[in-house]
Amino acid sequence: MRRKRREPGFDTLSIHAGQEPEPGTGAVMTPIYATSTYAQPEFGVDRGYAYARVSNPTRTALEKNLAALEGGAHGLCFASGMAAISALLGLLKAGDHVVVSDNVYGGVFRAFEGIFRNYGLAFTWTDTTDLRALEAALRPATRLLYIETPTNPVMRVTDIAGAARIARRRGVPLAVDNTFMTPVFQRPLELGADVVIHSTTKYLNGHSDSVGGALVLNDPALAEKLRFVQKTTGAVLSPFEAFLVLRGTKTLPVRMRQHEASGRAVAAFLAAHPRVKRLYYPGRKDHPNYRVHARQASGFGAMVAFDLGSLAAARRALNRFRLFTLAESLGGVESLACHPASMTHASVPEGRRNALGITPGLVRLSVGLESLEDLLADLKQALGR
Ligand SMILES: *Cc1c(COP(=O)(O)O)cnc(C)c1O
């Protein structure tokens, strides 16, 4: 009797995909191949590696690992999330147009408006939670649809499958920044997206000790073009950082399950707190995009933002935290708190920020893996009665 081979489960992939014991010694962990070049056995022959900007075995292992987790055929790792995003824009040429979610990571706004606009690219910032607005923003010259869901920091949710249908009909590739959800909760390629973007700095590495980025996709021709950009512009992930992220992804599913359990509990606490004027968490039923998010993702994550109504109130709370560390970034084992308007989104003009909900009173939390009782106690004392 022949049996169909079972596909390995996600937790198994996170530990094993892309990684085999090292053939020379049997080392179970992929070594850090600290080398810039590779000996060629004879003239005109190499062993698949020629120069380390082009490829490195530690990086290759991570690229395969991330591709497997996102359900994609190709993974490419970069020196940062912004380097990955910049490589993606390296596919475009002067005159091309891009439709972008109006609320995205602040650095994306800075790069698109501060650098790529000067290269002759045009950007339309749109509320992509509204698919009609998204479709109306597309032009004949549109060559990329770029979304983030849920968004940083006000947690707006775009219907990925809906956006993918529109993009496909118009022949425009759809890129989705999946940093907040990770493939544990959301797999955009399975919903029809063409490229998935990650800042591995966040949950994938998960320990706040490296900076990196990745792109994952299925289309071989597009992957070829991106590999060309990657090796040519050279903002590649170092083997040491690749090793750290590989170590991180082994525990990604267990970390995310705990992050999410605590994230929900923190959101429930904040929802009931009298000082909280507004809460942003896609796992609350009163979130405007709750149903869309629940349909396309299997979890809600651990990023929670809330508005205390004024800069003074936000400053007071942020200065009173003892366990939550006042810092930018997110997705690490330790809980962080930040003030998006003056920190992560300072490069977004004030009027724009306020229109998006990134007000002076907004506080963003990355809920970590400390004991939940300790996190809630810290929130309670920081917010006061
Ligand atoms: C941090 C972040 C980025 C940028 O990644 P870096 O690794 O800091 O360059 C992009 N998108 C999102 C959603 C992020 O949180």
Side-chain angles (χ1 to χ4, degrees), residues 108-118 123:
V108 170
F109 180 80
R110 187 170 58 203
F112 287 10
E113 290 296 328
I115 296 176
F116 291 105
R117 185 175 285 282
N118 298 336
F123 300 93

Side-chain angles (χ1 to χ4, degrees), residues 78-85 104-108 110 146 148-152 177-180 197-202 210-214 303 329-330 344-345 364:
F78 296 87
S80 66
M82 287 314 303
I85 293 162
V104 285
Y105 176 70
V108 170
R110 187 170 58 203
Y146 184 106
E148 189 178 303
T149 182
T151 64
N152 182 352
D177 187 331
N178 200 29
T179 298
F180 271 30
I197 300 163
H198 276 286
S199 167
T200 65
T201 313
K202 315 296 169 50
S210 86
V211 170
M303 294 303 297
S329 200
L330 59 106
T344 53
H345 289 68
R364 188 191 78 183

Side-chain angles (χ1 to χ4, degrees), residues 97-112:
H97 173 249
V98 182
V99 173
V100 200
S101 299
D102 54 2
N103 170 220
V104 285
Y105 176 70
V108 170
F109 180 80
R110 187 170 58 203
F112 287 10

Side-chain angles (χ1 to χ4, degrees), residues 76 78 87-88 90-92 215 217 219-233:
L76 297 92
F78 296 87
L88 181 65
L91 298 175
L92 306 181
L215 300 175
L217 68 163
D219 181 56
L222 202 54
E224 181 93 18
K225 287 183 190 162
L226 285 167
R227 290 228 180 269
F228 175 82
V229 177
Q230 184 192 36
K231 76 174 179 190
T232 305
T233 56

Side-chain angles (χ1 to χ4, degrees), residues 163 190 233 280 291 299 343:
E190 290 171 5
T233 56
Y280 300 91
R291 300 223 340 250
M343 297 167 72

Side-chain angles (χ1 to χ4, degrees), residues 24 87 142 148 190 216 314 319 334 346 371:
T142 307
E148 189 178 303
E190 290 171 5
V216 178
N319 280 333
E334 60 289 298
S371 305

